[in-house]
Amino acid sequence: MAKVEDFSNKSSQRVNRYFSESFKRKKVREIEKNVSTVLEVSREYEVSTTAVYKWLDKYSHNRKRGVKQVVELMSDTRKIQ
């Protein structure tokens, strides 16, 4: 059976981090320009994808205007042409 001491001696505790609004806006612009993806941002800065989507909802100009971003593979676009 697990003891209370087993859980209290762990050195890795969750650290709250805060990102500035300008940083969030910069990452949202990168995602909108297809420079990086939501998954890449979340992995690089160890943030949940849910948090990145919240940044998109809050800071994206396209979402406020009702514009949808369509992502296609380059090969699909070339096939259509």
Side-chain angles (χ1 to χ4, degrees), residues 25-60:
R25 287 182 187 273
K26 181 181 175 186
K27 294 304 163 188
V28 166
R29 271 187 260 119
E30 286 180 7
I31 293 169
E32 287 177 339
K33 292 180 181 180
N34 293 328
V35 174
S36 60
T37 64
V38 172
L39 189 59
E40 289 172 348
V41 172
S42 68
R43 285 182 180 168
E44 184 175 353
Y45 298 100
E46 296 179 0
V47 179
S48 69
T49 54
T50 305
V52 178
Y53 280 113
K54 286 180 182 180
W55 297 353
L56 280 167
D57 286 337
K58 189 171 184 180
Y59 300 112
S60 174

